Amino acid sequence: YGYEQLRKEYEKRDKKHDYLSHVAAHYLYARSFFTEMSLTNNADKAFNYYLKLAESKVLNYGIYQSGMLCLALHRNGKNDAAQKVTASLLERALTNPELGMYWNEGNGFNWYELPIERHAMMIELMVEMDQKEVVDDLKLWLLRNKQTNHWKTTKATAAAIYALLVED
């Protein structure tokens, strides 16, 4: 769905059933790296619409997408919402002294539903949200996972390496 089509349908129906597409969530995340760049008038309307929708629906998604949307909210000045999302994600995490901190959400059919990519996103989020006390536990799980598993894709390997090198 494009912004105009989504907005028209949103006005016709019950707003509680609206959702943010996977593509729109990735757009907000990618756009969050360039907050200093201005948008054209129509693009600005779409961006603000999607950002507002993300703020209200961020916890309706899986761990990976919630992390992406949380980073987008934080980078665009929605710090209260980002703090609430971070707290919610940390509440859902499991902690083991030997394994570190992780989320047991299982595997899905999409690449962003796989544990290594999800975990790398959570490390990026926790570093940016200044949750230094959990970053080492998150990195420990990633390293323990590598000891016992084969990271199946180059995307997973690249995401894991980035997560391990990100500064906290």
Side-chain angles (χ1 to χ4, degrees), residues 1 15 22 35 38 58 66 72 98-99 105-106 114 119 124-126 131 140 155-156:
Y1 279 82
K15 291 176 175 66
H22 168 70
T35 56
S38 61
V58 64
S66 291
E98 291 183 23
L99 299 177
E105 195 175 64
L114 297 174
H119 208 77
E124 179 183 353
L125 172 66
M126 296 306 161
Q131 296 290 323
L140 174 62
K155 174 150 182 23

Coordinates of all heavy atoms in Angstrom, one line a residue, residues 1 15 22 35 38 58 66 72 98-99 105-106 114 119 124-126 131 140 155-156:
Y1 N 0.8 -1.2 0.0 CA 0.0 0.0 0.0 C 0.9 1.2 0.0 O 1.8 1.4 0.8 CB -0.9 0.1 1.3 CG -2.1 -0.8 1.2 CD1 -2.1 -2.1 1.4 CD2 -3.3 -0.2 0.9 CE1 -3.2 -2.9 1.4 CE2 -4.5 -0.9 0.8 CZ -4.4 -2.3 1.1 OH -5.6 -3.0 1.0
K15 N -10.1 2.6 13.0 CA -8.7 2.8 13.1 C -7.9 1.8 13.9 O -6.7 1.7 13.7 CB -8.4 4.2 13.6 CG -8.9 5.3 12.6 CD -8.7 6.7 13.2 CE -9.0 7.8 12.2 NZ -10.4 7.9 11.8
H22 N 5.4 -4.1 6.6 CA 6.8 -4.4 6.8 C 7.7 -3.4 6.0 O 8.7 -3.0 6.5 CB 7.1 -5.8 6.4 CG 8.5 -6.2 6.2 ND1 9.3 -6.4 7.3 CD2 9.3 -6.5 5.2 CE1 10.5 -6.7 6.9 NE2 10.5 -6.7 5.6
T35 N 17.9 12.0 9.6 CA 16.9 12.9 10.1 C 17.2 14.3 9.8 O 16.3 15.2 9.9 CB 16.9 12.7 11.7 OG1 18.2 12.9 12.2 CG2 16.4 11.4 12.1
S38 N 15.8 17.2 4.8 CA 14.4 17.6 4.7 C 13.7 16.8 3.6 O 14.3 16.2 2.7 CB 14.3 19.1 4.4 OG 14.9 19.4 3.2
V58 N 3.6 0.1 17.6 CA 5.0 -0.5 17.6 C 5.0 -1.8 18.3 O 5.7 -2.7 17.9 CB 6.0 0.5 18.2 CG1 5.7 0.8 19.6 CG2 7.4 0.0 18.0
S66 N 9.7 -4.3 16.0 CA 9.6 -3.4 17.2 C 10.9 -2.7 17.4 O 10.9 -1.5 17.7 CB 9.1 -4.2 18.4 OG 7.8 -4.6 18.3
A72 N 13.6 4.1 15.1 CA 13.1 5.2 14.3 C 12.4 6.3 15.1 O 12.6 7.5 14.9 CB 12.1 4.7 13.2
E98 N 24.9 -18.3 31.9 CA 25.9 -18.9 30.9 C 25.6 -18.5 29.5 O 26.5 -18.4 28.7 CB 25.9 -20.4 31.0 CG 26.4 -21.0 32.3 CD 26.5 -22.5 32.3 OE1 26.5 -23.1 31.3 OE2 26.5 -23.0 33.5
L99 N 24.3 -18.3 29.1 CA 24.0 -18.0 27.8 C 23.8 -16.5 27.5 O 23.8 -16.1 26.3 CB 22.7 -18.7 27.4 CG 22.7 -20.2 27.5 CD1 21.4 -20.8 27.1 CD2 23.8 -20.8 26.5
E105 N 11.7 -16.2 20.5 CA 10.5 -15.9 19.7 C 10.4 -17.0 18.6 O 9.4 -17.0 17.8 CB 10.6 -14.5 19.1 CG 9.3 -14.0 18.5 CD 9.4 -12.6 18.0 OE1 10.1 -12.3 17.1 OE2 8.7 -11.8 18.6
G106 N 11.3 -17.8 18.5 CA 11.3 -18.9 17.4 C 11.7 -18.3 16.1 O 12.2 -17.2 16.0
L114 N 14.4 -14.4 12.0 CA 15.5 -15.4 12.4 C 16.2 -14.8 13.6 O 16.4 -13.6 13.7 CB 16.4 -15.6 11.2 CG 15.7 -16.3 10.0 CD1 16.7 -16.4 8.8 CD2 15.2 -17.6 10.4
H119 N 18.6 -10.7 17.0 CA 19.5 -10.4 18.1 C 20.4 -9.2 17.8 O 20.7 -8.3 18.6 CB 20.3 -11.6 18.5 CG 20.7 -11.6 19.9 ND1 19.8 -12.0 20.9 CD2 21.9 -11.4 20.5 CE1 20.5 -11.9 22.1 NE2 21.7 -11.5 21.8
E124 N 21.9 -3.4 18.6 CA 21.9 -2.0 18.1 C 21.0 -1.1 18.9 O 21.3 0.0 19.2 CB 21.5 -2.0 16.6 CG 21.5 -0.6 16.0 CD 21.1 -0.6 14.5 OE1 20.9 -1.7 13.9 OE2 20.9 0.5 14.0
L125 N 19.8 -1.6 19.1 CA 18.8 -0.8 19.9 C 19.3 -0.5 21.3 O 19.2 0.6 21.7 CB 17.4 -1.6 19.9 CG 16.4 -0.9 20.8 CD1 15.9 0.4 20.3 CD2 15.2 -1.9 20.9
M126 N 19.7 -1.5 22.0 CA 20.1 -1.3 23.4 C 21.3 -0.4 23.5 O 21.4 0.4 24.5 CB 20.4 -2.7 24.1 CG 19.1 -3.6 24.2 SD 17.7 -2.7 24.9 CE 16.4 -3.7 24.4
Q131 N 21.3 1.3 27.2 CA 21.1 0.2 28.1 C 22.4 -0.7 28.2 O 22.4 -1.8 27.9 CB 19.9 -0.7 27.6 CG 18.6 0.0 27.5 CD 18.0 0.3 28.9 OE1 18.2 -0.5 29.8 NE2 17.4 1.4 29.0
L140 N 27.1 -11.8 24.7 CA 27.5 -13.1 25.1 C 26.6 -14.2 24.5 O 27.1 -15.2 24.0 CB 27.3 -13.2 26.7 CG 27.5 -14.6 27.3 CD1 28.9 -15.1 27.0 CD2 27.2 -14.6 28.8
K155 N 23.9 -12.6 5.4 CA 23.2 -11.5 6.1 C 23.3 -11.6 7.6 O 23.6 -10.7 8.3 CB 21.8 -11.4 5.6 CG 21.0 -10.3 6.5 CD 20.0 -9.7 5.7 CE 19.3 -8.6 6.5 NZ 19.9 -7.9 7.6
A156 N 23.0 -12.9 8.1 CA 23.1 -13.1 9.5 C 24.5 -12.9 10.0 O 24.7 -12.3 11.1 CB 22.7 -14.6 9.8

